[in-house]
Amino acid sequence: MNSRKVYFLFVVAFLVVMFIAHLRMPASYNWQPTFLASSNQPFGCMLFDSLMAKSMPKGYKVDDKTFYEFSVDKGFKPHTILVLCEEFNPNDIDMMSAMNLLDKGCNIMIATSSFDYGYNGDDKKMKAFAEKNLMIEVMDYLSPSYFLTYMRNSQNSYNYLTWLKGRYPKAEWSLSTPISSSTIEANYDDSLEICLNSYYSVVVRDEVNYNGVKTRYRYAVHKRCGKGRLIFVSLPLLLTNYGVLDKTMSPLTFRLMSLGDNLPVVRTQAYLDKAQMANGGESPLRYIIKQPPLKWALYLGLLTILLFMIFTARRRQRAIPVVNPPQNYSLEFVKLIGTLYFQKHDNVDLVKKAYGYLKENLRRKLMVDLSVEYELVQNIDTIAAYTGEPPQMVKQWLQELSAIDRLGDADSITDQQLHRYIDIINNISSKI
């Protein structure tokens, strides 16, 4: 086995070993919330969207339209529009379009970790809405390092949330503090009670401090607004793949989605981070680069191709042999045969070979078989017609040549007889 084959087998075996080793390594997850329909990471929405599409009674779909695009769409019927993102920072056009959608009978469900809106325009309706609007404050975003540090160091690692009695019976859930760190507050401190009391609280957490003062933190509220319903949820991480897969949190996830299930639900991705949206549409090469086994297999393959090109790019110089044209030795062969017959002086064998060649030539060209005696007259006429000789002359030639068939190995003929036979054979052969 040469060195090239050994090198090739080594590279293939190394690639296989590395690929198997990477497959057996523990899977790594990206804990950054993306809320993308194409993401299968814990805080993506691929599985969440699939389950909601099958479980929502009125239907469920994902779109990329803004509030304004929904409001100007003449064919758009009342839906529950779900805004699911990490930070929701709408502009005046977005909020005015949201108010129009609410007036048309749509539900708007805002599930985010951070939301604050203040209106500075002259529209009285928008001013009144902004003054009675809520805000969502976040303590910290979930990250692997923060989550692990908090779970190890904090004695109270969970918040106990209560679903108030309503459509569903009262129930309690314990959620880790990083996931339930955002709460819903009033937009202005002086209107705290008035603003919050205008909303119906669904999910809350009650705490009593050392002075016996009870404080209520709200995580999901809603109220009638126009012909529709405005819903705020500060638990966006529950509406992800992680939320529907966790057995303790999935019932709360489906209860939150039921707040707007009286209409078809459409989740918009228009308010997601544009950088995350760009990274979400992965090309095949980007997918390969993100998977460590495929990434290293690609790198090693490219390195192998590069080494192969380096070692084989230079063409090997080989001496080109000079090939002489083949020589024609037919004349030498004829001279050799003639010399052998001259030295042996076997006239009978020579004339038999010449006569046999003549008979074969007549049979192949004229379909004449001289060995058949009853076709002699027909053969004479055929040969005479092709050679142009008189039939009597042809008949005389054939009679003389027929004596050759009767010659045995012990017989002999003179040189004059040999010349006579050869002349007749050449005379006929040259004219057919």
Side-chain angles (χ1 to χ4, degrees):
M1 184 179 295
N2 55 29
S3 59
R4 179 176 296 182
K5 291 183 178 179
V6 173
Y7 173 76
F8 177 75
L9 293 176
F10 172 76
V11 172
V12 172
F14 182 72
L15 288 175
V16 172
V17 171
M18 292 299 296
F19 185 76
I20 295 175
H22 278 285
L23 286 180
R24 295 178 64 88
M25 291 178 63
S28 60
Y29 297 102
N30 180 13
W31 292 89
Q32 179 65 32
T34 61
F35 306 105
L36 292 173
S38 59
S39 175
N40 59 358
Q41 295 301 318
F43 295 139
C45 289
M46 178 184 289
L47 179 59
F48 172 80
D49 291 333
S50 176
L51 290 178
M52 292 302 113
K54 295 180 179 179
S55 59
M56 288 291 99
K58 301 292 185 178
Y60 178 93
K61 66 178 181 179
V62 180
D63 209 330
D64 295 325
K65 294 181 179 179
T66 62
F67 286 150
Y68 174 76
E69 291 173 326
F70 283 124
S71 64
V72 298
D73 187 356
K74 296 181 179 180
F76 183 70
K77 298 180 180 180
H79 281 67
T80 295
I81 303 174
L82 171 60
V83 178
L84 180 60
C85 58
E86 193 171 11
E87 293 183 6
F88 183 47
N89 301 309
N91 53 34
D92 291 342
I93 297 178
D94 289 327
M95 294 309 296
M96 292 179 68
S97 301
M99 290 295 297
N100 293 332
L101 291 170
L102 290 169
D103 291 339
K104 293 178 182 179
C106 290
N107 300 330
I108 293 181
M109 183 176 180
I110 300 174
T112 181
S113 297
S114 176
F115 169 69
D116 189 8
Y117 172 72
Y119 180 69
N120 298 320
D122 299 329
D123 190 283
K124 294 182 180 180
K125 186 178 180 180
M126 289 300 299
K127 277 187 176 181
F129 173 77
E131 290 176 356
K132 294 183 180 180
N133 193 20
L134 302 180
M135 63 183 296
I136 299 177
E137 293 183 339
V138 59
M139 182 180 71
D140 199 352
Y141 299 127
L142 176 66
S143 65
S145 58
Y146 172 73
F147 182 79
L148 293 176
T149 302
Y150 192 89
M151 293 293 290
R152 290 170 181 171
N153 299 335
S154 178
Q155 296 179 354
N156 185 14
S157 300
Y158 293 90
N159 289 326
Y160 295 92
L161 278 59
T162 303
W163 180 281
L164 299 180
K165 188 176 181 182
R167 179 180 175 183
Y168 295 100
K170 184 177 180 180
E172 292 186 355
W173 280 271
S174 58
L175 300 182
S176 62
T177 302
I179 294 179
S180 57
S181 60
S182 301
T183 58
I184 301 172
E185 306 292 344
N187 206 359
Y188 299 98
D189 292 339
D190 55 357
S191 60
L192 177 61
E193 293 300 329
I194 299 175
C195 185
L196 288 178
N197 290 335
S198 64
Y199 286 83
Y200 180 79
S201 300
V202 181
V203 180
V204 298
R205 173 170 60 91
D206 294 326
E207 285 189 1
V208 180
N209 61 13
Y210 62 91
N211 292 326
V213 179
K214 180 179 179 182
T215 304
R216 169 163 287 188
Y217 298 95
R218 294 164 177 82
Y219 292 90
V221 298
H222 67 87
K223 77 170 183 177
R224 298 294 299 180
C225 190
K227 296 181 181 180
R229 184 185 301 170
L230 181 60
I231 308 166
F232 286 97
V233 177
S234 65
L235 302 168
L237 298 181
L238 293 184
L239 309 183
T240 58
N241 300 331
Y242 183 79
V244 296
L245 288 176
D246 190 279
K247 293 182 180 180
T248 60
M249 294 191 299
S250 59
L252 180 57
T253 299
F254 283 96
R255 285 196 179 194
L256 291 175
M257 289 300 298
S258 69
L259 295 176
D261 65 357
N262 61 315
L263 293 174
V265 180
V266 53
R267 185 175 74 85
T268 176
Q269 297 189 124
Y271 300 102
L272 294 178
D273 187 4
K274 302 303 180 185
Q276 293 176 353
M277 289 288 291
N279 294 332
E282 294 183 348
S283 63
L285 182 59
R286 188 185 297 274
Y287 176 80
I288 291 175
I289 295 300
K290 285 190 175 182
Q291 307 297 322
L294 297 178
K295 178 181 69 174
W296 284 107
L298 175 63
Y299 289 164
L300 289 175
L302 293 177
L303 179 61
T304 303
I305 295 175
L306 179 62
L307 293 176
F308 179 79
M309 293 174 63
I310 292 174
F311 288 107
T312 60
R314 197 176 128 205
R315 193 176 71 174
R316 296 182 181 180
Q317 300 294 330
R318 295 185 179 90
I320 301 176
V322 178
V323 180
N324 296 321
Q327 297 182 3
N328 188 0
Y329 294 100
S330 300
L331 180 61
E332 286 78 0
F333 178 74
V334 172
K335 288 181 179 180
L336 176 62
I337 297 300
T339 301
L340 292 175
Y341 275 103
F342 177 77
Q343 292 176 352
K344 191 175 181 181
H345 204 265
D346 189 355
N347 294 339
V348 174
D349 184 62
L350 181 61
V351 75
K352 281 188 174 183
K353 284 185 170 55
Y355 184 51
Y357 176 78
L358 174 64
K359 290 194 293 183
E360 179 62 25
N361 205 13
L362 290 174
R363 185 190 64 78
R364 184 168 50 85
K365 293 183 177 181
L366 307 182
M367 302 298 292
V368 171
D369 191 358
L370 297 181
S371 61
V372 181
E373 296 182 359
Y374 60 85
E375 294 180 355
L376 181 59
V377 177
Q378 182 180 355
N379 293 340
I380 292 173
D381 294 338
T382 303
I383 295 173
Y386 272 90
T387 59
E389 297 291 341
Q392 293 297 331
M393 181 62 69
V394 173
K395 181 180 180 180
Q396 180 182 351
W397 287 348
L398 295 180
Q399 287 178 350
E400 292 184 25
L401 293 176
S402 63
I404 299 176
D405 290 331
R406 296 190 293 271
L407 292 175
D409 294 338
D411 297 333
S412 62
I413 57 175
T414 63
D415 292 341
Q416 290 77 12
Q417 290 176 319
L418 175 63
H419 284 296
R420 174 60 182 172
Y421 291 143
I422 296 299
D423 290 340
I424 295 174
I425 293 173
N426 291 337
N427 194 15
I428 297 176
S429 298
S430 62
K431 294 181 180 181
I432 61 176

